[in-house]
């Protein structure tokens, strides 16, 4: 009897090992997961599998934590996407789910998702996009109007004309307005990035210092040679063509 019991344990271990290496399929169907708009949803179907890698499978129903893991991953990704850009959402979610995850020690899970969007959800997303676009346009128009007003109020001459047009019977109050606006700067134009700004300022200074046609000719020749050395043959050709001998300011042939 004891010999039979000793033989049964290796058999049980072999069975556990075989079970640990087996991939078990799982499916999540018709899951509703929010997009970047919380009231607009993707419809999601996930097919995947899980397997236990620690030998002893006495952990209860492991399909439950496996499904919860895939559901969590999918929801975390889709909440960053619009239902109007289904391809991007599909690529992002499958890039994540296809990588084997480990929601707990010994449990490995992976899957693939299929996404669809109900007509009602798509209509809501399109309406939201239209409203957002209208709000953005209104915001840009208001910023432009305020920038124009700032430019007028910051310039004493324009301010005087604007005040006379707006309040022709209150010209004596203009001094009070000027005092209230003292120190108001003109709106700043969009700034170039550092490199473009440095190049623009350097080029302006350089062109300003080129007083004679001979200096300008030398500059253009150096520019063409530099562009050619950098491999920008088309720019070099365009520069040479724009500075033909009969152009104003160049040396006559």
């Amino acid at each position: 009897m004891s010999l039979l019991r000793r033989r049964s344990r290796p058999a049980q271990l072999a069975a556990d090992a075989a079970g640990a290496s087996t991939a078990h399929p799982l499916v999540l169907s018709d899951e509703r997961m929010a997009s970047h708009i919380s009231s607009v949803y993707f419809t999601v179907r996930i097919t995947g599998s899980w397997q236990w890698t620690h030998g002893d499978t006495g952990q209860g129903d492991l399909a439950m934590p496996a499904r919860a893991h895939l559901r969590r991953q999918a929801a975390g990704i889709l909440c960053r996407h619009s239902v109007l850009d289904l391809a991007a959402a599909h690529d992002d979610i499958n890039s994540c789910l296809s990588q084997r995850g480990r929601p707990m020690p010994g449990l490995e899970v992976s899957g693939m998702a299929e996404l669809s969007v109900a007509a009602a959800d798509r209509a809501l997303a399109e309406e939201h996009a239209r409203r957002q676009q209208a709000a953005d346009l209104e915001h840009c128009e208001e910023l432009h109007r305020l920038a124009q007003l700032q430019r007028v109020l910051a310039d004493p001459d324009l301010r005087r004309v604007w005040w006379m047009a707006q309040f022709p019977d209150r010209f004596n109050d203009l001094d009070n307005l000027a005092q209230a606006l003292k120190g108001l700067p003109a709106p700043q134009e969009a700034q170039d990035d550092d490199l473009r700004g440095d190049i623009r300022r350097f080029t302006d200074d350089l062109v300003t210092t080129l007083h004679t046609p001979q200096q300008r000719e030398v500059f253009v020749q150096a520019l063409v040679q530099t562009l050619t050395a950098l491999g920008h043959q088309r720019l070099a050709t365009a520069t040479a063509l724009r500075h033909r001998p009969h152009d104003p300011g160049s040396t006559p042939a």
Side-chain angles (χ1 to χ4, degrees), residues 16-150:
D16 288 342
S21 63
T22 301
H24 303 274
L26 56 81
V27 177
L28 290 81
S29 298
D30 296 329
E31 295 277 333
R32 295 270 290 169
M33 297 185 181
S35 67
H36 76 295
I37 306 171
S38 59
S39 58
V40 177
Y41 295 85
F42 290 94
T43 302
V44 186
R45 173 183 171 83
I46 299 176
T47 56
S49 64
W50 64 268
Q51 64 181 24
W52 184 252
T53 62
H54 278 23
D56 183 8
T57 58
Q59 298 290 328
D61 186 4
L62 293 176
M64 292 179 62
R67 285 194 299 267
H69 174 73
L70 292 177
R71 189 180 289 112
R72 237 182 352 260
Q73 280 190 308
I77 293 169
L78 294 179
C79 68
R80 302 194 298 263
H81 288 276
S82 168
V83 299
L84 301 179
D85 195 357
L86 201 60
H90 182 270
D91 292 344
D92 198 3
I93 191 173
N94 282 316
S95 176
C96 178
L97 297 187
S98 61
Q99 300 178 25
R100 191 169 297 280
R102 293 174 175 82
M104 57 187 292
L107 179 62
E108 294 184 348
V109 185
S110 63
M112 295 291 288
E114 298 175 14
L115 305 179
S116 60
V117 180
D121 287 297
R122 181 175 294 277
L124 282 174
E126 290 172 347
E127 178 62 23
H128 181 272
R130 282 192 293 269
R131 292 185 180 183
Q132 187 64 52
Q133 185 179 39
D136 289 344
L137 289 174
E138 184 178 352
H139 178 66
C140 289
E141 291 173 357
E142 180 65 12
L143 287 179
H144 178 71
R145 186 187 70 80
L146 291 175
Q148 290 293 94
L149 180 58
Q150 182 181 354

Side-chain angles (χ1 to χ4, degrees), residues 135 166 210:
Q166 294 291 323
L210 299 178

Side-chain angles (χ1 to χ4, degrees), residues 153-225:
L153 295 178
D155 186 307
D157 296 329
L158 291 176
R159 181 170 63 225
R160 186 179 299 109
V161 174
W162 175 82
W163 184 264
M164 292 173 63
Q166 294 291 323
F167 310 103
D169 56 340
R170 296 172 54 190
F171 185 77
N172 292 334
D173 294 336
L174 180 58
D175 291 339
N176 295 331
L177 177 65
Q179 187 63 30
L181 296 175
K182 188 175 182 180
L184 177 70
Q188 295 184 353
E189 301 296 335
Q191 297 294 318
D192 290 329
D193 60 75
D194 293 340
L195 179 60
R196 288 178 180 272
D198 290 343
I199 292 174
R200 189 184 299 278
R201 285 187 292 272
F202 172 77
T203 305
D204 288 344
D205 292 342
L206 179 61
V207 172
T208 301
T209 61
L210 299 178
H211 299 295
T212 68
Q214 291 80 8
Q215 289 176 326
R216 294 171 185 151
E217 187 68 27
V218 170
F219 169 70
V220 171
Q221 290 177 2
L223 178 61
V224 170
Q225 291 174 1

